[in-house]
Amino acid sequence: MENGRRLLKLIFICIMGAAILLIYLNSLDTPGYRRASSSSADPGPYHVAYPRNYKFIMEDTPTCNSTTPFLVLMVPVAPSDVAARDAIRKTWGNEKLVLGQLVETLFILGLPGGADAEQQQEKLKQENLQHHDLIQSNFQDSYRNLTIKTMMMLEWLAAHCVQTSYVIKIDSDMLLHVQNLVKLLLDPSTAKQNYMTGLVWWHSPVLRNPFNKFYMPRDVIAEAEYPPYPLGMSYVMSLDLPGKILGVSPQIKPVYIEDVYLGLCLTHLGISPTDPLENTMFIVDPRHPLSDCSLTKVIAVTTTSIPQMTGYWERSRQPEAKC
């Protein structure tokens, strides 16, 4: 009986010790805010993100081919997320002429996965026959492949949109106030070249805890801090940058954190991202519901659902609210 109690006590102590050790390891890193969960039970091997051997398999769009937009809205989206694409097509992605400037929207995606991948791909073909706004490359679409998706986006822009002035990369769960963005880009103080803005992250620590989702080995990045970069939820760049970033990317070890990778490329180019004119322009973690006043100031803001995004968009098109 006594031996049984001792055994149970020993097991309890071991369990508590393991739990305390795990909590301590996770507390070693205190990263800046990121939208995804920051922990993972199985970080897996370090992922080589951009081997540069992909090609486009769907790109029959008039955008930048028979048209010359001032601004292109590039929306990375999962192949299966047709609901998000349709919502954007009916809201901010449908704003074509803004303050006298042509604006066009494209969705960029990789290959669907799962048992029904072939059926998903056929649906994507039919969807594109209707809308002609899908840009698809032959990499596997997944969270770990976001850098691939971003670099393929830049490849397409550099090849097709040389006459376009600006592009915004914006996630599909965001509200975009297109008029406010175009107004910013038309401002004489906004740079025409070497320009990148968004919610810029400065002095973001490189996370060394192997149990953290954003773990980065020292042999990949030796520095304690990342260079400045705009958070991947939405960032704007002048159209000279895609080609420049692609030009230096072979000299930079790829990382799967796509916005960090762009920051590494910018640093290699000697270019620093630009903070937005107002901190109300790009909001990653808003307090919902947003007021009418906030909607008159924002450019891009995270939303929690399609109905919320649609409602915000409808309100943002009303006469300006008094703040």
Side-chain angles (χ1 to χ4, degrees), residues 53-57 109-111 136-140 152:
N53 58 355
Y54 301 104
K55 63 181 180 179
F56 294 101
I57 58 175
L109 58 155
L111 294 173
Q136 187 183 35
S137 180
N138 64 340
F139 64 90
Q140 194 66 45
M152 294 308 294

Side-chain angles (χ1 to χ4, degrees), residues 71 259 301:
L71 169 67
D259 44 12
V301 59

Side-chain angles (χ1 to χ4, degrees), residues 39-257:
S39 64
S40 174
D42 179 19
Y46 183 74
H47 185 67
V48 177
Y50 181 49
R52 300 177 183 83
N53 58 355
Y54 301 104
K55 63 181 180 179
F56 294 101
I57 58 175
M58 193 184 300
E59 52 175 340
D60 59 330
T61 177
T63 297
C64 294
N65 291 317
S66 60
T67 67
T68 306
F70 168 75
L71 169 67
V72 174
L73 317 180
M74 275 285 194
V75 187
V77 63
S80 61
D81 203 352
V82 64
R85 292 192 291 273
D86 282 342
I88 291 168
R89 290 180 181 119
K90 294 173 182 176
T91 56
W92 48 264
N94 194 41
E95 298 183 46
K96 304 296 186 184
L97 192 63
V98 181
L99 300 179
Q101 304 299 318
L102 181 62
V103 179
E104 299 197 350
T105 302
L106 295 172
F107 300 94
I108 186 156
L109 58 155
L111 294 173
D116 62 342
E118 289 187 14
Q119 294 93 320
Q120 285 190 63
Q121 184 62 25
E122 183 57 36
K123 289 180 180 178
L124 288 170
K125 291 178 181 178
Q126 296 304 314
E127 181 181 347
N128 194 53
L129 284 174
Q130 180 179 358
H131 299 286
H132 299 286
D133 59 3
L134 302 185
I135 305 297
Q136 187 183 35
S137 180
N138 64 340
F139 64 90
Q140 194 66 45
D141 202 298
S142 69
Y143 177 78
R144 283 278 178 154
N145 284 347
L146 284 179
T147 296
I148 298 173
K149 183 177 281 191
T150 298
M151 299 306 286
M152 294 308 294
M153 174 188 77
L154 297 184
E155 284 191 19
W156 195 88
L157 290 166
H160 295 270
C161 296
V162 291
Q163 300 300 319
T164 297
S165 297
Y166 297 96
V167 61
I168 181 171
K169 176 265 183 183
I170 181 162
D171 288 348
S172 60
D173 62 348
M174 306 289 293
L175 166 72
L176 178 64
H177 196 307
V178 184
Q179 182 167 317
N180 283 353
L181 175 56
V182 173
K183 183 179 178 181
L184 170 68
L185 299 178
L186 290 175
D187 191 302
S189 66
T190 299
K192 303 292 190 292
Q193 292 187 323
N194 295 335
Y195 177 73
M196 190 170 187
T197 193
L199 183 57
V200 181
W201 223 243
W202 300 87
H203 306 293
S204 182
V206 180
L207 307 184
R208 303 302 188 190
N209 176 5
F211 291 93
N212 192 290
K213 188 172 185 176
F214 299 105
Y215 163 68
M216 190 62 60
R218 281 186 173 82
D219 63 340
V220 178
I221 295 179
E223 293 77 12
E225 292 183 346
Y226 290 119
Y229 60 90
L231 286 186
M233 63 166 195
S234 61
Y235 47 78
V236 185
M237 68 173 74
S238 52
L239 253 296
D240 61 308
L241 280 184
K244 292 176 180 177
I245 291 170
L246 290 166
V248 300
S249 65
Q251 304 168 49
I252 300 169
K253 188 172 291 188
V255 298
Y256 69 88
I257 310 173

Side-chain angles (χ1 to χ4, degrees), residues 17-39:
I20 291 169
L21 178 61
L22 185 58
I23 291 170
Y24 171 73
L25 286 172
N26 277 307
S27 70
L28 292 177
D29 291 322
T30 53
Y33 181 83
R34 298 195 69 91
R35 292 166 65 200
S37 170
S38 62
S39 64

